[in-house]
Amino acid sequence: MCLALPMRIVEVVDAAARTVRIAPDGAVAADRAGEEVVSAALLVTDETDLRGLVGGWGLAHSGFLLARLEADDARSRLDLFEAMDGAGDPRGRRGAA
């Protein structure tokens, strides 16, 4: 099963190809995911809409940006992932040696 972490959309890489660079939240996922380039072609049809994605949040899978997220939704999901990190260890993930 794949769990898609909310990722920040940081820049347009190629407007003609409709690709963007996404980056993980540093507090929750920096050790699990790195920046990657994905296609936003499933969400936008022109360059204006593509540039409007920058600074926002999204979910990506298999090289495609699948959904845009509102900031509060992204934060809520990231908080949930962070809470799950320590669920099986009383010290939490951050307290692990």
Side-chain angles (χ1 to χ4, degrees), residues 9-34:
I9 303 162
V10 294
E11 71 175 324
V12 172
V13 174
D14 184 336
R18 290 182 282 170
T19 57
V20 295
R21 182 176 316 281
I22 58 174
D25 176 79
V28 177
D31 62 337
R32 299 188 182 139

Side-chain angles (χ1 to χ4, degrees), residues 70-89:
E70 296 295 326
D72 59 336
D73 186 15
R75 183 79 262 151
S76 175
R77 291 173 189 231
L78 289 167
D79 289 346
L80 179 62
F81 282 115
E82 189 170 26
M84 288 188 304
D85 273 348
D89 181 348

Side-chain angles (χ1 to χ4, degrees), residues 5 7-11 13 19-24 32-39 60-65:
L5 291 171
M7 303 278 273
R8 175 78 69 179
I9 303 162
V10 294
E11 71 175 324
V13 174
T19 57
V20 295
R21 182 176 316 281
I22 58 174
R32 299 188 182 139
E35 288 189 0
E36 54 186 291
V37 175
V38 298
S39 172
H61 179 67
S62 297
F64 290 92
L65 193 62

